[in-house]
Amino acid sequence: SQHRRERSSRLPALIAALNDQWLRPMIAEAVLINGSGSFSGAGWSGSGSPAHAVRQADPHAWQKHRSFNCSHPFGLQHRNSTALGQRRSTNAEERMILSALGVAWCAAAVTRHEVRHGMFKLFTYMRPDVLLPRPMLSWCDGAVRGSLPLA
């Protein structure tokens, strides 16, 4: 549909972004998932063409993590989903599991990097739609300057 095309990202634009001169040197590992689903293997390490970051999605991987005895209204097997005002064909469980699988991939990529290069001093995971308008201060810098609340 037209709405779907407007909301989905185009792979050539994402590949071009990975090749940007300010971003590419900072990439330890990256994956661009082609399709709807998840990917669990190692990603592109920044050498060669950024087109090698594209991996085919596994559209069914999320299903092995489903809860068939789920009593929560977001579970696909919930008996009272229509009584709760939810469509029986909801894909909320699939979307939540795919989100968790994306975070799990990120954690595995961080682990692979730390095995090769040592532990990070600080690691932050953020949603891709969050923008930081200026560099983040380290915890110590912020605490010394009084800009971060201390508990």
Side-chain angles (χ1 to χ4, degrees):
S1 73
Q2 180 66 24
H3 180 68
R4 174 82 175 141
R5 280 191 300 244
E6 290 172 2
R7 290 182 22 177
S8 61
S9 299
R10 306 242 189 282
L11 282 174
L14 295 171
I15 291 168
L18 288 178
N19 207 29
D20 195 276
Q21 68 184 26
W22 73 267
L23 179 62
R24 188 167 180 161
M26 294 186 283
I27 295 173
E29 189 170 340
V31 166
L32 300 174
I33 299 176
N34 186 18
S36 180
S38 65
F39 174 77
S40 61
W44 174 66
S45 63
S47 62
S49 170
H52 295 292
V54 178
R55 301 293 197 271
Q56 190 60 42
D58 180 346
H60 305 290
W62 72 274
Q63 293 174 347
K64 68 181 176 182
H65 301 283
R66 289 178 64 189
S67 173
F68 290 98
N69 296 317
C70 186
S71 62
H72 193 275
F74 291 118
L76 290 175
Q77 300 299 313
H78 192 272
R79 297 179 199 270
N80 297 321
S81 62
T82 53
L84 294 170
Q86 307 231 342
R87 295 180 319 200
R88 193 162 273 293
S89 63
T90 181
N91 70 342
E93 182 180 26
E94 175 184 359
R95 289 174 43 229
M96 287 188 285
I97 292 171
L98 285 173
S99 177
L101 289 173
V103 172
W105 180 89
C106 186
V110 167
T111 300
R112 287 188 290 271
H113 183 79
E114 288 182 335
V115 165
R116 292 188 303 265
H117 302 286
M119 298 284 291
F120 286 104
K121 291 181 182 177
L122 173 69
F123 178 81
T124 303
Y125 175 82
M126 293 175 35
R127 294 177 8 180
D129 60 343
V130 173
L131 171 68
L132 296 175
R134 57 185 173 262
M136 290 178 56
L137 296 174
S138 71
W139 172 257
C140 294
D141 289 342
V144 169
R145 294 180 184 173
S147 62
L148 297 174
L150 297 175

